[in-house]
Amino acid sequence: MELFNYFRSSASYRVRIALALKGLDYDYRSVHLAKNEQFNESYSAVSASRLVPLLRDGEASVTQSMAIIEYLDETHPEPPLLPRGPLDRAYVRAISQDIACEIHPLNNLRVLRYLTQELGVSEENKDRWYRHWVETGLEVVERRLVGEGRAGTFCFGDTPGLADCLLVPQVFNAQRFKARLDHVPTVMRIHAACMKLDAFAKTQPSACPDAE
């Protein structure tokens, strides 16, 4: 397998965690988003969206981080990243989508570039935009974790899974932008538990081959 990704991309980090939890080997392929390498003809030929991550498994290519992770869970079912019961699976997917669909799209690199380069938003206000959406978004995750009663050491019970793969990279980005996190103690407790595991710690951005 090959993973086309960028060290600082939270979506890429999600997949790196999932691959590590599964114990799967892969070739690391760097696509440097800040240098616009996603627009190179060689990458555009394999990625219609020109986004990362992209997983190449033999002749097959899979895009979108959650689709990649669920593909890995179906093709390499042990250890499972989703629980067995349909309601529990819906809960895990809901937390994952709270992050992937509600927080991340507002704060990814192309949106931040559009704010500053096309709309003339200042760097200070761009960062305020980022912090607002990540702080309010993680507050929703916190309420779900506390209110549903399914969280344990991790987002669901005492085994890391899909939701944790998404939670940790989002907290990483929140910390990088100096967002307030004291209002989400359960989120931060789970984050701390995850970072004790090699699957999370050894795939973090600073540990990647293309880290700057």
Side-chain angles (χ1 to χ4, degrees):
M1 286 190 288
E2 298 173 280
L3 181 65
F4 294 81
N5 72 137
Y6 176 49
F7 79 102
R8 197 170 277 156
S9 158
S10 61
S12 298
Y13 187 10
R14 299 166 190 166
V15 177
R16 295 195 302 268
I17 294 168
L19 285 162
L21 287 171
K22 296 284 187 182
L24 296 173
D25 294 327
Y26 61 96
D27 293 326
Y28 189 107
R29 305 291 187 223
S30 176
V31 181
H32 201 298
L33 300 187
K35 296 179 181 177
N36 293 321
E37 289 181 358
Q38 68 273 29
F39 299 116
N40 290 349
E41 184 176 345
S42 59
Y43 190 65
S44 298
V46 297
S47 174
S49 66
R50 297 174 176 175
L51 299 174
V52 294
L54 180 148
L55 182 76
R56 182 178 285 161
D57 186 8
E59 297 299 316
S61 294
V62 187
T63 59
Q64 291 291 351
S65 61
M66 286 185 61
I68 294 171
I69 294 171
E70 294 214 31
Y71 167 78
L72 292 171
D73 211 34
E74 292 170 2
T75 55
H76 301 272
E78 296 298 329
L81 299 179
L82 280 162
R84 300 184 71 134
L87 285 177
D88 291 336
R89 292 165 80 90
Y91 158 79
V92 168
R93 287 187 173 114
I95 292 177
S96 301
Q97 291 181 24
D98 283 337
I99 297 167
C101 302
E102 304 296 341
I103 301 175
H104 179 253
L106 292 165
N107 287 334
N108 66 17
L109 180 61
R110 60 181 178 168
V111 170
L112 299 181
R113 279 179 168 174
Y114 189 81
L115 287 173
T116 56
Q117 296 176 8
E118 301 296 328
L119 299 184
V121 174
S122 68
E123 286 292 319
E124 178 184 359
N125 282 334
K126 178 204 74 176
D127 289 350
R128 285 179 59 196
W129 165 281
Y130 189 103
R131 288 192 290 268
H132 170 77
W133 293 114
V134 75
E135 288 170 5
T136 55
L138 286 178
E139 187 175 0
V140 172
V141 174
E142 176 77 14
R143 289 200 302 269
R144 195 185 298 279
L145 289 168
V146 173
E148 293 277 352
R150 290 181 170 90
T153 304
F154 302 102
C155 289
F156 177 78
D158 296 321
T159 304
L162 173 64
D164 305 286
C165 292
L166 278 86
L167 181 73
V168 166
Q170 188 59 67
V171 171
F172 169 82
N173 276 352
Q175 292 172 328
R176 186 161 68 91
F177 278 83
K178 298 180 172 55
R180 182 172 67 92
L181 293 166
D182 59 349
H183 65 310
V184 287
T186 310
V187 166
M188 297 310 294
R189 175 184 62 75
I190 292 171
H191 174 265
C194 288
M195 294 308 294
K196 293 177 182 178
L197 303 178
D198 285 350
F200 295 85
K202 292 187 175 181
T203 57
Q204 65 180 299
S206 62
C208 291
D210 55 339
E212 298 173 345

